[in-house]
Amino acid sequence: MTATDRPSTERTGAPDERVSGVSTFAAAQLDERLPAELLQERRQTAEATGASVRGQIATLVDDTSFVEVGTFTHAADGAADSTGDGRVGGTATIDGRPVVIAADNPDVLAGTSGQVGNERLERLLTLALTKGHPFVHLANGGAIRTAEAGGAEGLAELGAFTAFTTRIHRVPMASAILGDTSEASAFIAATSDFTVQVRDAQLSLAPGLAEPGDAARVGLVDAVVDTPTEALAAVRSFLSFMPSNAWSPAPRGPERPAVHQLDPEMVEMVPRSRTRAYDMRRVLTRLVDPAPGQADDSPGELLELRPTIGRGLVTGLARIDGWPVGIFASNPMFQAGAMDPAACEKGVRLLTLCDSYQIPAVFLQDVVGFLVGRQVEHGRMLFRAVRFLNALYDSSCPTLTVLVRKAFGLAYETMNGRKYHTDGLYAWAGAEIGFMDPEIGVNVLYGDRKTLEEKRAMVAELREGTSPFDAAGVMNIDEVIDPAATRQILARDLARLATRRVPPPEERTLRLWPAC
Amino acid sequence: MTTIRSEIPATVWQVKVAPGDKVESGDEIIILESMKMEIPVIAPSSGTISSVLVAPDDRVQEGDALAELDQ
């Protein structure tokens, strides 16, 4: 039937119900189509912060910004209690910027992954990828609904979540593990740029095969928190450092005029004795900006990633004078700052993020080398170390390096010590640079064949040759700096680098590297 | 009461407090040794040391209790 032969209301005198329905398209009529419990829940979530998935979404996003996409979905078999087919999703804003959100709904079909729910997921992912909105997934289920996935046909139709593996870092993606999560939703977590897990939730490929805490212990998640509300706050924090997509610059936070003044206490953060450990995170909280909204003299905000593994290297996101940066900092508190395979994996993961979204990478070195021993060799130390170096040299994001204390061996190069790659290479005046830490070198060469006194003399002599002024004298580093000026110098360089030619996404090699 | 634990496997090098000592947040209470590095163990808050559970040359594992602090 064409428009011209449609009966007009004037001619028949009886309005077409569906046409007149459009003119009075009222919430009340729509609501008749919605199950009573969903309606009730939606009314509650107008101001809700409850444990329901809509309450969690309301907590995550800007007030009343959530708009559902796929409200009328139900399970493929049309069952009465299957609203949303185990998922909730739509668009919203976080800090005023558009995002796409998908969530498992544990109250419907136990949040399992079914055919229509997957259609919805793919619809939402496509919106995010093609329009450049960050994608947030709230995981609380995800196991594949066996009854629907049975047989060759069913399996073929349940593959929507594999689309996540081809997102090639076009938009930032965050997963919050709010309850026990496996299979489809675990896939999404594994392909995310940032994952945060509630402490008592499990994350595993196969359902029920992990204990709470396992995922953090083996490095499957970036952060562990006590409550869903903290997890949602961590997602907001992560996104605050990220651009909306690979084509946009990361937003600058509030400027911090204080970074342009010398910080004479900075030098006190690092012990004078070369054998005394310290927690690099204390240095970082002096170096980086406080959270937006906090006073200039508040402690700096570092979103540390995977803090429980590879502890000789601290990785995280922070800001310096408002500029978002990736932080790669040795931590002498653990294994004298030596890097193990897990530390290298952490480094690669953050470099992938930095390169994909063009966030400058800032390295702080106090590193004696890679960890030595049979255990780490069996953990594929060789491959992990070389992959880190490979990722660094393939990356196109700006990089800056500060040698704080020790800078030795291949680890010195892996932590961005090579002048041909870094955009600024600075050493504190007390730093030591060389192939091998003199104490380790003398022990390797002479072991018990020299007395302690003889070895001390040799160490002192060798240390003469590790001066940063020697390195600066032959242009192996750019400048020897006053520790008090570290922030000032980094902020100045970041401002300069913000005007660089930004390579288009297709020139960023690491965007093609897997997220896990 | 707070139990202060070792974050790493290490050898106890120096114990700088005794039961009854008052400490401020950030004070060094024990120094561990691992990989030829001295690793300070810091009081997480101010209070009084109620017990010291290790002595110099003891081996400790990650998570082992080192001392107890009454706030």
Side-chain angles (χ1 to χ4, degrees):
Chain A
M1 190 159 85
T2 65
T4 48
D5 50 39
R6 170 181 288 176
S8 87
T9 53
E10 273 178 322
R11 256 190 293 144
T12 64
D16 180 311
E17 275 189 22
R18 296 190 64 156
V19 174
S20 74
V22 172
S23 67
T24 56
F25 197 69
Q29 283 172 292
L30 256 183
D31 286 355
E32 285 170 19
R33 302 290 301 248
L34 292 173
E37 61 273 19
L38 176 59
L39 206 57
Q40 180 64 21
E41 198 189 321
R42 281 194 158 186
R43 284 186 183 130
Q44 285 167 350
T45 48
E47 72 239 36
T49 51
S52 77
V53 64
R54 285 188 179 77
Q56 286 166 338
I57 291 172
T59 306
L60 171 68
V61 304
D62 297 342
D63 281 350
T64 68
S65 69
F66 181 56
V67 178
E68 201 156 339
V69 175
T71 309
F72 296 101
T73 47
H74 50 68
D77 64 6
D81 53 357
S82 65
T83 308
D85 198 25
R87 292 210 168 94
V88 175
T91 60
T93 62
I94 291 180
D95 288 338
R97 295 191 296 165
V99 294
V100 170
I101 293 170
D104 299 333
N105 186 354
D107 298 331
V108 173
L109 296 165
T112 49
S113 172
Q115 191 181 320
V116 176
N118 279 328
E119 292 289 344
R120 193 177 187 185
L121 195 57
E122 195 157 13
R123 171 76 181 139
L124 291 164
L125 178 66
T126 304
L127 264 181
L129 291 178
T130 58
K131 298 301 167 289
H133 308 316
F135 189 89
V136 178
H137 189 248
L138 307 184
N140 196 346
I144 290 163
R145 212 171 300 145
T146 317
E148 281 189 29
E153 283 182 28
L155 185 62
E157 289 185 4
L158 281 174
F161 50 86
T162 58
F164 286 92
T165 60
T166 62
R167 77 190 169 94
I168 51 173
H169 295 95
R170 280 169 281 181
V171 300
M173 199 165 114
S175 274
I177 315 296
L178 304 178
D180 294 351
T181 293
S182 62
E183 296 188 337
S185 297
F187 263 60
I188 299 172
T191 54
S192 290
D193 294 312
F194 176 72
T195 48
V196 54
Q197 181 183 26
V198 174
R199 199 174 299 282
D200 59 9
Q202 303 170 13
L203 172 65
S204 55
L205 178 56
L209 286 184
E211 295 293 324
D214 282 359
R217 190 157 50 249
V218 299
L220 295 186
V221 293
D222 293 304
V224 177
V225 295
D226 290 322
T227 65
T229 305
E230 289 170 87
L232 301 170
V235 168
R236 287 183 71 107
S237 169
F238 168 74
L239 291 176
S240 76
F241 295 104
M242 292 289 118
S244 288
N245 53 59
W247 292 266
S248 308
R252 188 179 181 186
E255 292 177 38
R256 296 285 180 178
V259 304
H260 299 293
Q261 284 148 25
L262 294 178
D263 177 7
E265 285 175 47
M266 180 57 93
V267 72
E268 305 301 330
M269 308 303 292
V270 176
R272 281 162 205 272
S273 161
R274 67 190 309 280
T275 55
R276 177 56 70 101
Y278 60 97
D279 196 333
M280 183 64 94
R281 287 171 291 199
R282 292 180 62 220
V283 176
L284 291 170
T285 54
R286 273 203 90 81
L287 185 71
V288 305
D289 294 355
Q294 302 274 312
D296 274 359
D297 57 359
S298 310
E301 178 196 31
L302 173 73
L303 178 62
E304 193 178 352
L305 304 171
R306 307 194 177 193
T308 54
I309 61 160
R311 296 182 294 176
L313 179 71
V314 174
T315 60
L317 293 163
R319 291 181 192 83
I320 297 175
D321 199 17
W323 305 109
V325 292
I327 297 280
F328 303 72
S330 315
N331 194 353
M333 205 67 173
F334 300 103
Q335 300 151 0
M339 289 187 289
D340 61 8
C344 295
E345 268 189 42
K346 283 199 322 193
V348 170
R349 178 169 164 84
L350 182 55
L351 266 175
T352 303
L353 190 75
C354 287
D355 190 39
S356 300
Y357 303 112
Q358 289 293 303
I359 294 166
V362 173
F363 291 77
L364 296 172
Q365 287 202 20
D366 189 343
V367 62
V368 288
F370 292 107
L371 203 58
V372 175
R374 188 161 290 170
Q375 196 184 342
V376 290
E377 294 291 345
H378 289 181
R380 302 206 284 174
M381 186 72 251
L382 170 67
F383 283 9
R384 292 292 167 263
V386 172
R387 185 191 282 188
F388 192 1
L389 196 63
N390 191 170
L392 178 71
Y393 288 176
D394 269 354
S395 67
S396 65
C397 55
T399 63
L400 297 168
T401 303
V402 180
L403 312 178
V404 170
R405 196 164 68 170
K406 299 173 194 171
F408 289 110
L410 183 64
Y412 165 73
E413 304 239 338
T414 307
M415 284 288 284
N416 204 32
R418 181 165 282 261
K419 63 183 172 187
Y420 299 110
H421 189 267
T422 177
D423 299 305
L425 180 49
Y426 305 103
W428 284 16
E432 303 171 48
I433 306 166
F435 171 67
M436 191 180 266
D437 184 327
E439 293 207 26
I440 297 171
V442 167
N443 266 322
V444 167
L445 283 174
Y446 298 107
D448 297 335
R449 285 174 288 131
K450 300 272 182 190
T451 66
L452 199 58
E453 284 308 308
E454 286 172 322
K455 286 199 281 188
R456 277 196 185 134
M458 281 179 199
V459 168
E461 193 184 320
L462 282 171
R463 283 196 65 203
E464 296 285 305
T466 62
S467 156
F469 292 98
D470 291 355
V474 293
M475 203 57 233
N476 272 348
I477 62 171
D478 289 327
E479 290 294 331
V480 181
I481 64 168
D482 175 357
T486 307
R487 278 191 320 189
Q488 193 182 46
I489 289 166
L490 292 175
R492 182 202 64 200
D493 280 4
L494 289 166
R496 173 171 59 82
L497 291 164
T499 68
R500 74 195 183 279
R501 173 202 175 254
V502 178
E506 56 274 18
E507 287 179 20
R508 304 172 197 165
T509 305
L510 299 190
R511 86 195 198 285
L512 292 169
W513 283 41
C516 57
Chain B
M1 191 182 68
T2 306
T3 304
I4 299 165
R5 296 179 185 278
S6 179
E7 287 192 82
I8 50 164
T11 305
V12 177
W13 184 49
Q14 287 178 14
V15 176
K16 304 181 86 171
V17 292
D21 285 1
K22 291 206 185 324
V23 294
E24 297 291 323
S25 173
D27 284 356
E28 283 182 12
I29 56 170
I30 287 168
I31 300 177
L32 302 172
E33 191 275 328
S34 170
M35 290 187 67
K36 299 194 189 300
M37 295 290 279
E38 303 150 25
I39 296 146
V41 177
I42 306 285
S45 54
S46 303
T48 306
I49 299 290
S50 52
S51 59
V52 175
L53 305 166
V54 291
D57 297 331
D58 283 356
R59 277 294 298 170
V60 293
Q61 295 302 320
E62 183 179 343
D64 283 358
L66 304 175
E68 289 178 329
L69 179 70
D70 272 331
Q71 267 106 337

